[in-house]
Amino acid sequence: MPDIIITEKQIHLRNDRISYVIGILEGGIAAHLYFGKRVEAFSAASVLRRWGLPEDGSLSLQNCALNHVPQEYPAYGLGEMREGALIVRAADGTASCDLRFVSAEIADGKYGLEGLPASFGGNAKTLRLKLRDELLGLDVTLLYAIFDNCDIIARSALFENRGGQPLTLERAASLCLDLPDCDYDLITLSGDWARERDVIRRKLTPGEMSVSSIRGASSLLASPFAALARPGTTEASGEVLAAALVYSGSFYAGVEVGSRHAARLMLGLNDRHFTWLLQPGEAFTAPEAVLTWSEDGFDGMSAQFHCLCAEHIVRGKFAHAPRPILLNNWEATYFGFDEEKLLTIARKAAEVGVELFVLDDGWFGHRDSDNSSLGDWVVDRRKLPNGLRSLAEKVHGLGLKFGLWFEPEMISPDSDLYRTHPEYAMQIRGRTPIEGRNQLILDLSRADVQDFVYSAVADVLRENPIDYVKWDMNRNFSNVGSLQLPPERMRELPHRYMLGLYGVLERLQADFPDVLFESCSSGGGRFDLGMLYYMPQTWCSDNTDALCRCRIQWGTSLVFPPFSMGSHVSAVPNHQTGRITPIRARANVAMSGCFGFELDLNKLPESEIEEVKAVIARVKTLRQTLLYGRFHRLLSPFEGHDTAWITVSEDRREAVLMFTRDLAQPDTDAPMLRLRGLDPALIYTVEETGETCGGDELMRSGLCVALPGGDAASVSLTLRAL
Ligand code: DGJ
């Protein structure tokens, strides 16, 4: 059960497995004392001694003493020499802040954040820890929540200007965690287009290490996530603490090792894309960050994030539903299609058992390439003379659902929208706008633009029978300027953009609860917990090469569960790598997420069509386990030639094992794969081979898995308890 205990000098948040302890030091400084495995009571003396502080919590703030205090929300300007969580500029131009304890209140349930995505629901408790700077008249309420079913502490901060002068927040981090030592490896997810979320591990050393984005999206290059693992931590064992932002815009995630070899983890908005003016009476809320701890290695960490996504992030009717097997026409046709070509592809898709046909980019305006028409969300009658409704109905007539691509946040200079409303684009007066993929970004900080974007999508959804939307976003921010914002608020634009976007998504979610939304950003460039709050699945990467996907999906799974990952079988030679891999490998990897196809099935030989039919039938029977089972990584593609993972149903009676080797090795023995997550007391049959083994044997001794020959050799095995 989640519980929050307040005593005179301590606040202790805990559930059955984890504890988070805050100390209130003399003078009202909120100190961080502990986060980790549940403890019954916390004396604090040892930790304070470690920091060189009096064991009774007394404190002299002279001589830059704050520099050695483990703080919950350190502010810049009064002796704190490390990077702090908060920078506040006063009306006289100085920056300093002295936050002292005012009150601590406990409430049942999970706090919500107005206008921002945030974890919700479940059996949870909330702590509101109010701190105040009397001179500035600034109240900072630190929000904490603890759940009973996930080992997650959710955090945010609320800033209220109760004084008489304008204040400017120059930094307002979501989370700061002071740790008494630095004996950790930092794990981040970094990549680029078509190679998202490589797992990067480096030892902490003095100074700062970080990942960040000023791209206006969480980005292809870095994820708003950081984990600290004790050296030697593996998938199966070791202590890890990790944090992620529930946010989709520019961010910072980093660690600083300062004096006394202490480490400070911090996540939040990126200062280069942020300030916020707080006039007297105004308030600001920082995006949510979530923090987890596990002593069961990276597997344990991922289990907590996956639980959070399933139970507290993804909303609506698709949250626990079987996701439709889809076929998307993008790589089959790119911009070159007409109704008959699409229907030919859809007919074949229906014949093999696909459930949803998705029409990608190129259906609107006069978009024959990526240099026009974004903003003109009107069907292109040259390609679809009978209109969208007619196409959607014909697709429905084939027994398929119908989905449609949009890139609603963008505007092409060659569009009626731009010709009519050039002021809708983000821009800096007097500067030629920098285009990215021949397009500009709509200024979503403006209410008129928000209304336009909502209506553009909503009108199409109201006028046509559409079951699914792919929401794309294909460029980075530049020319960060708004024609509506006053100079003193211009640096608020990147965050105001996100608030505007979230508002539009909230309205669309509320008005179209039966439409399944999948987010996308040049592949997986906005794969984050913020987007998942509005859209239950995300296109993982434009790279659908089976071997590259082993790495991409492995890295993605550190934080995100299978049901969130769009993963498709595409044609060979692969359009991104030129590699030819067997259909079996492509299918085995793709079925470990929201399964689908990205090709014209008419072009496959009959033998492969038979394989596709069999795979689709199998995925339909195993879908609940594949999407919502517990996912365990077994062999890492970052460490050798082999990738293996297993997904185990909640009752542990069914499991699907995926094993792929990238390059064939001469004279190599079939490996023993030590499985995880099974019930040691149950006996399992491997359906494809007929062999029978105990769960304990499969996990302790392992399963010897023979691979077919050749490169990209792959097997997928079904284990079922007798
Ligand atoms: C980028 C996406 O990642 C692709 O899947 C595709 O939708 C294109 N955009 C279309 O322009």
Side-chain angles (χ1 to χ4, degrees):
M1 290 296 286
D3 199 8
I4 301 176
I5 303 142
I6 301 183
T7 54
E8 195 197 336
K9 287 186 177 173
Q10 259 185 33
I11 305 167
H12 188 154
L13 297 88
R14 68 185 183 197
N15 65 18
D16 291 345
R17 297 160 305 273
I18 57 169
S19 282
Y20 188 107
V21 185
I22 299 166
I24 305 300
L25 305 185
E26 193 180 284
I29 303 283
H32 179 72
L33 298 180
Y34 176 73
F35 175 53
K37 195 179 178 86
R38 176 183 163 120
V39 290
E40 295 312 311
F42 199 85
S43 81
S46 264
V47 165
L48 293 174
R49 193 161 63 239
R50 160 76 185 115
W51 287 93
L53 298 170
E55 292 173 19
D56 61 0
S58 62
L59 199 63
S60 155
L61 286 184
Q62 295 312 307
N63 301 320
C64 293
L66 275 178
N67 197 33
H68 305 301
V69 179
Q71 296 161 78
E72 279 299 313
Y73 207 71
Y76 170 81
L78 295 171
E80 170 60 86
M81 298 295 150
R82 299 162 288 184
E83 287 297 333
L86 178 63
I87 303 176
V88 190
R89 187 128 342 240
D92 67 2
T94 59
S96 72
C97 187
D98 185 5
L99 293 175
R100 302 301 176 109
F101 177 81
V102 176
S103 62
E105 284 170 17
I106 305 168
D108 285 336
K110 166 71 189 20
Y111 66 81
L113 299 179
E114 182 76 33
L116 281 165
S119 56
F120 60 87
N123 185 359
K125 286 238 189 273
T126 289
L127 166 70
R128 289 172 193 276
L129 176 59
K130 185 179 279 194
L131 310 175
R132 175 171 297 155
D133 181 309
E134 291 290 353
L135 183 70
L136 296 177
L138 177 68
D139 277 3
V140 178
T141 305
L142 302 180
L143 300 170
Y144 300 79
I146 183 161
F147 299 97
D148 71 337
N149 60 344
C150 303
D151 297 341
I152 295 275
I153 302 281
R155 287 187 56 174
S156 176
L158 172 66
F159 305 84
E160 293 164 287
N161 184 350
R162 300 204 176 278
Q165 60 168 321
L167 301 173
T168 303
L169 302 178
E170 294 186 350
R171 178 181 298 169
S174 300
L175 173 147
C176 176
L177 188 74
D178 274 339
L179 300 161
D181 70 276
C182 65
D183 190 20
Y184 290 101
D185 294 341
L186 170 66
I187 291 90
T188 53
L189 297 172
S190 302
D192 209 328
W193 178 75
R195 56 176 191 80
E196 293 89 338
R197 290 172 288 285
D198 273 359
V199 180
I200 309 293
R201 183 170 183 160
R202 47 194 156 148
K203 194 172 167 35
L204 284 190
T205 52
E208 271 185 85
M209 292 177 175
S210 64
V211 290
S212 64
S213 163
I214 52 160
R215 291 163 187 273
S218 44
S219 93
L220 295 159
L221 279 91
S223 294
F225 155 82
L228 292 173
R230 291 295 186 192
T233 295
T234 63
E235 277 299 321
S237 69
E239 210 184 323
V240 191
L241 60 88
L245 282 176
V246 188
Y247 190 64
S248 318
S250 300
F251 74 93
Y252 167 90
V255 187
E256 181 181 0
V257 176
S259 62
R260 293 175 203 274
H261 301 289
R264 169 174 286 176
L265 174 67
M266 211 156 64
L267 279 86
L269 296 167
N270 190 318
D271 313 346
R272 269 203 283 159
H273 264 181
F274 176 75
T275 63
W276 203 272
L277 175 63
L278 279 183
Q279 292 289 2
E282 288 183 348
F284 175 80
T285 306
E288 181 166 273
V290 287
L291 180 65
T292 189
W293 174 89
S294 170
E295 60 185 343
D296 300 323
F298 298 112
D299 184 304
M301 169 194 80
S302 298
Q304 298 309 324
F305 281 129
H306 293 189
C307 167
L308 178 83
C309 291
E311 306 300 331
H312 305 288
I313 292 284
V314 176
R315 302 176 294 168
K317 67 182 263 192
F318 298 100
H320 301 104
R323 305 290 169 76
I325 298 173
L326 70 82
L327 184 140
N328 178 304
N329 75 307
W330 177 239
E331 290 199 356
T333 66
Y334 293 104
F335 295 100
F337 57 81
D338 57 21
E339 185 181 284
E340 191 39 42
K341 199 166 180 181
L342 296 176
L343 287 173
T344 306
I345 296 171
R347 268 183 223 110
K348 192 70 181 175
E351 183 192 314
V352 301
V354 166
E355 298 161 316
L356 162 68
F357 175 79
V358 180
L359 172 54
D360 209 276
D361 196 354
W363 59 268
F364 51 93
H366 57 99
R367 190 159 162 95
D368 296 327
S369 71
D370 61 17
N371 65 10
S372 84
S373 305
L374 295 170
D376 299 345
W377 301 105
V378 177
V379 70
D380 182 352
R381 295 264 170 187
R382 294 170 312 152
K383 293 180 187 172
L384 302 173
N386 304 314
L388 260 187
R389 167 171 280 279
S390 162
L391 175 66
E393 282 170 353
K394 285 174 189 153
V395 168
H396 281 168
L398 296 170
L400 296 169
K401 293 186 180 304
F402 181 72
L404 196 62
W405 180 96
F406 289 89
E407 195 178 357
E409 299 160 63
M410 298 293 151
I411 178 166
S412 302
D414 178 7
S415 66
D416 291 342
L417 181 66
Y418 191 69
R419 283 181 281 275
T420 326
H421 287 296
E423 75 282 8
Y424 278 12
M426 267 210 252
Q427 56 196 279
I428 296 175
R429 267 181 226 279
R431 290 221 182 266
T432 309
I434 304 288
E435 292 175 17
R437 209 195 189 206
N438 308 304
Q439 64 203 46
L440 304 175
I441 304 178
L442 285 169
D443 175 4
L444 270 157
S445 71
R446 297 170 62 120
D448 52 0
V449 173
Q450 293 160 18
D451 288 343
F452 167 79
V453 170
Y454 168 80
S455 301
V457 178
D459 289 352
V460 177
L461 296 184
R462 280 199 187 98
E463 285 158 19
N464 302 281
I466 290 168
D467 308 292
Y468 161 106
V469 165
K470 178 174 173 186
W471 184 291
D472 207 346
M473 192 275 194
N474 285 307
R475 60 156 294 183
N476 299 318
F477 277 23
S478 68
N479 299 69
V480 181
S482 165
L483 296 186
Q484 263 191 359
L485 285 175
E488 66 277 14
R489 292 208 178 267
M490 201 57 86
R491 282 173 64 90
E492 299 175 7
L493 178 54
H495 185 57
R496 283 186 181 274
Y497 177 98
M498 289 314 307
L499 295 176
L501 173 61
Y502 287 146
V504 169
L505 293 175
E506 187 65 42
R507 284 160 76 186
L508 288 169
Q509 284 297 319
D511 293 350
F512 301 96
D514 296 330
V515 175
L516 171 61
F517 283 78
E518 175 158 349
S519 77
C520 171
S521 179
S522 306
R526 207 161 53 180
F527 208 138
D528 54 67
L529 297 170
M531 276 297 136
L532 273 185
Y533 180 76
Y534 301 97
M535 309 198 218
Q537 54 193 64
T538 303
W539 181 225
C540 215
S541 174
D542 278 349
N543 188 344
T544 43
D545 175 285
L547 300 183
C548 294
R549 273 299 186 118
C550 283
R551 294 166 70 98
I552 294 167
Q553 290 176 210
W554 176 286
T556 304
S557 77
L558 256 61
V559 183
F560 304 101
F563 70 75
S564 67
M565 289 186 218
S567 49
H568 301 168
V569 173
S570 60
V572 288
N574 179 273
H575 292 200
Q576 289 73 37
T577 61
R579 188 167 22 230
I580 296 178
T581 53
I583 187 91
R584 183 174 303 174
R586 282 173 275 154
N588 287 350
V589 177
M591 75 169 71
S592 311
C594 298
F595 187 55
F597 296 85
E598 197 88 5
L599 78 175
D600 182 353
L601 291 164
N602 293 294
K603 297 194 172 149
L604 294 191
E606 204 41 46
S607 58
E608 290 193 356
I609 285 293
E610 288 313 309
E611 248 188 276
V612 165
K613 282 184 186 161
V615 166
I616 289 176
R618 178 163 176 251
V619 168
K620 285 179 183 170
T621 64
L622 296 172
R623 183 157 37 188
Q624 196 62 23
T625 296
L626 285 166
L627 291 172
Y628 299 106
R630 174 94 192 265
F631 185 82
H632 303 270
R633 295 171 297 266
L634 302 175
L635 291 178
S636 168
F638 295 94
E639 287 165 15
H641 290 289
D642 296 342
T643 305
W645 54 59
I646 187 168
T647 322
V648 183
S649 65
E650 206 184 325
D651 64 5
R652 296 195 285 175
R653 301 192 66 82
E654 182 177 84
V656 183
L657 170 68
M658 194 294 298
F659 177 35
T660 298
R661 173 166 293 164
D662 57 5
L663 293 175
Q665 305 299 313
D667 198 20
T668 313
D669 300 329
M672 289 290 274
L673 287 182
R674 290 173 75 182
L675 310 187
R676 281 214 300 282
L678 302 176
D679 185 334
L682 289 176
I683 307 290
Y684 293 86
T685 301
V686 182
E687 228 166 56
E688 289 73 10
T689 62
E691 68 190 294
T692 295
C693 275
D696 52 358
E697 178 186 335
L698 289 166
M699 293 193 287
R700 286 167 202 150
S701 172
L703 179 68
C704 177
V705 182
L707 282 167
D711 292 345
S714 180
V715 291
S716 172
L717 302 174
T718 316
L719 283 83
R720 230 177 266 291
L722 289 178

